[in-house]
Amino acid sequence: MFNWKNLFKKKCSLKSINKSELDEKLTNFTDFGLNREERNPKVIVSLTSFPERMHDIHYCIYSLLNQSYKPDEVVLWLAEDQFPNREDDIPQSVLKLKANGLSIKWCENLYSYKKLIPSLNEFPNDIIVTTDDDIFYEKDFLEKLYKSYLETPNAISCHRAHKVKTDQNGNIEIYKKWKKKIKGETIDYKNFFTGAGAVLYPPHSLAKDICNVELFTKLAPKADDIWFWAMAVLKNTKIKVVKDNISELTYINPERERGLTGETTLFASNKKGGNDLQMEAVIKAFPQILKIINE
């Protein structure tokens, strides 16, 4: 008989949460998770989701509202067309976290781009930290990002990054040849931040085309990280991997991440060459990126 349990263990050897333990903590969670003092610029934690993820996103949001360094806002951006009844379509497990500081805001459906684009429009002069909806974040992830920002305010700071590899002619190699999950405190244009690890964007650190919906939908519809990285490079903003970075992610639903639930993920679709095609399209549109990263 085929052993599905062994297959699950093999494919899901990812760090994950103990939901039963967290359910107990959430029941007694009364802390207000936001900063109460005046701060300029503000620190905005921004994320997005969609209906199929709402049943367990509260674990992620809890981790964002339980930080050692408190953000000024935690904003969950949702597409109006996916939630026609607004908050009536949202589970109580999520809505109850509004009492702890969660803000729910509505926008057009920009898919994964919703994690950043609406916040850039609403908070143009503030620090924006993007997170993913299926990750449970360590209690000091934001503190480490903010300390990095104070040390290097003109750089984008991140926990998790790959190193873009170029060939002898200065062209970008295919994604599978890049050095993955680099470690050590480094600042470089070739540090390619990955959104799941959380990314801190200082105010005005991205090029003017960052919010050009028509352009990014055409060039990189399923690769927001590529678009965000390209807009950083075009603005001459380097990317910094923070000191003592958290590079190993803790997943809320690891079986989903490895394709065992039947749900589609960006990881799965881009893994099959989608990243390379979208990077090629972006570089073709903005060839000056190669000059900048190779200088």
Side-chain angles (χ1 to χ4, degrees):
M1 182 180 291
F2 189 79
N3 193 323
W4 287 100
K5 188 175 287 188
N6 287 340
L7 175 64
F8 178 84
K9 288 181 179 179
K10 181 179 180 181
K11 287 203 170 189
C12 274
S13 57
L14 297 172
K15 190 177 178 183
S16 60
I17 60 173
N18 183 325
K19 290 184 178 180
S20 297
E21 185 179 292
L22 283 172
D23 286 339
E24 186 174 340
K25 289 182 178 180
L26 276 159
T27 300
N28 302 307
F29 184 50
T30 58
D31 295 349
F32 189 65
L34 304 183
N35 168 51
R36 294 180 183 269
E37 299 177 1
E38 187 66 26
R39 189 157 58 195
N40 187 27
K42 292 180 179 179
V43 178
I44 312 297
V45 173
S46 182
L47 74 159
T48 189
S49 194
F50 52 96
E52 290 76 9
R53 295 277 180 92
M54 298 306 290
H55 67 283
D56 59 9
I57 192 179
H58 57 287
Y59 297 114
C60 169
I61 296 169
Y62 165 74
S63 74
L64 302 178
L65 291 168
N66 193 36
Q67 289 295 304
S68 56
Y69 181 82
K70 303 296 184 188
D72 294 282
E73 287 199 44
V74 173
V75 182
L76 172 62
W77 290 100
L78 299 176
E80 293 174 309
D81 65 351
Q82 292 183 318
F83 298 85
N85 300 306
R86 298 286 183 113
E87 291 193 2
D88 287 342
D89 292 333
I90 298 174
Q92 283 300 314
S93 57
V94 177
L95 293 178
K96 72 188 295 277
L97 291 171
K98 292 173 67 178
N100 305 95
L102 172 67
S103 294
I104 298 173
K105 295 179 182 288
W106 304 94
C107 62
E108 66 175 304
N109 195 354
L110 301 175
Y111 301 95
S112 60
Y113 282 88
K114 301 195 305 295
K115 75 170 73 168
L116 178 59
I117 301 302
S119 283
L120 286 173
N121 287 323
E122 181 148 341
F123 310 101
N125 300 312
D126 292 316
I127 296 164
I128 299 173
V129 178
T130 58
T131 63
D132 275 10
D133 64 348
D134 56 350
I135 304 298
F136 189 89
Y137 289 92
E138 306 286 344
K139 193 163 186 174
D140 61 349
F141 97 93
L142 188 57
E143 182 178 355
K144 289 182 177 181
L145 285 173
Y146 191 70
K147 283 182 178 178
S148 175
Y149 163 76
L150 294 178
E151 294 166 0
T152 320
N154 295 321
I156 290 171
S157 292
C158 66
H159 278 288
R160 192 171 179 269
H162 306 321
K163 181 71 74 174
V164 175
K165 186 177 180 181
T166 53
D167 62 22
Q168 59 185 7
N169 297 316
N171 295 313
I172 294 176
E173 295 270 26
I174 60 174
Y175 177 75
K176 69 178 183 180
K177 290 187 177 182
W178 296 5
K179 184 177 180 181
K180 306 300 193 300
K181 291 189 288 186
I182 58 176
K183 295 183 179 181
E185 194 175 11
T186 63
I187 305 176
D188 198 328
Y189 289 123
K190 291 184 179 180
N191 289 345
F192 185 91
F193 46 76
T194 67
V199 183
L200 183 151
Y201 298 90
H204 315 295
S205 57
L206 299 168
K208 61 180 177 63
D209 279 320
I210 180 62
C211 294
N212 189 328
V213 176
E214 183 179 353
L215 199 54
F216 68 65
T217 301
K218 175 185 174 183
L219 299 175
K222 294 183 178 180
D224 55 278
D225 285 352
I226 288 176
W227 181 254
F228 300 156
W229 173 80
M231 293 298 106
V233 174
L234 287 172
K235 191 63 185 286
N236 295 112
T237 304
K238 292 184 178 180
I239 295 95
K240 178 183 180 182
V241 180
V242 305
K243 185 177 181 181
D244 299 323
N245 64 308
I246 302 166
S247 61
E248 292 301 321
L249 304 176
T250 301
Y251 290 92
I252 290 169
N253 196 333
E255 57 269 31
R256 175 174 61 209
E257 183 65 18
R258 287 309 184 202
L260 298 179
T261 64
E263 296 179 60
T264 301
T265 64
L266 282 177
F267 173 82
S269 59
N270 286 338
K271 185 179 173 184
K272 299 176 181 178
N275 274 326
D276 297 320
L277 293 173
Q278 291 170 97
M279 176 66 84
E280 184 180 342
V282 170
I283 296 300
K284 186 175 180 180
F286 300 100
Q288 59 270 47
I289 289 174
L290 294 180
K291 180 179 179 182
I292 295 170
I293 68 173
N294 286 306
E295 283 180 346

